Amino acid sequence: FSWLPKPIHERYSNARIYTKSRIVKLLARSGFEIGGAQLMTAPLDVLGNSRLKRFLLKCIFTGQTTRNPFLATNVFVWGRKAM
């Protein structure tokens, strides 16, 4: 239900949807210095060496990171606790 408006999704779902900017803001408010953040694409390991996997890697998932949130499966944020 990630496509539902956030208040409805969070009320009726056990999972939480976090955008890259939301994670960065939460960490910054908790005293972390953010080194960077990237949206990671799907590894596609479950597809084996199939035509579908080759097509997706060539045409859609052309790198390990993306700027398009709809193509991302993970958000990778790195930083350190401010001293």
Side-chain angles (χ1 to χ4, degrees):
F1 298 115
S2 61
W3 46 268
L4 289 171
K6 188 170 67 170
I8 295 171
H9 178 271
E10 290 187 351
R11 180 171 181 180
Y12 296 104
S13 174
N14 288 329
R16 297 293 178 253
I17 302 299
Y18 291 94
T19 62
K20 184 172 76 169
S21 62
R22 187 174 175 194
I23 293 172
V24 168
K25 287 176 188 174
L26 286 169
L27 290 171
R29 275 190 259 150
S30 296
F32 284 84
E33 295 174 359
I34 306 303
Q38 291 185 320
L39 297 172
M40 307 298 290
T41 59
L44 304 178
D45 293 347
V46 297
L47 297 178
N49 191 18
S50 65
R51 282 184 171 172
L52 176 59
K53 180 178 179 178
R54 289 191 296 275
F55 169 78
L56 291 173
L57 290 172
K58 181 180 179 183
C59 300
I60 298 173
F61 298 103
T62 57
Q64 293 181 354
T65 61
T66 181
R67 291 180 182 207
N68 185 339
F70 295 105
L71 297 178
T73 57
N74 297 291
V75 178
F76 182 74
V77 180
W78 64 94
R80 65 185 181 113
K81 186 73 171 171
M83 296 289 200

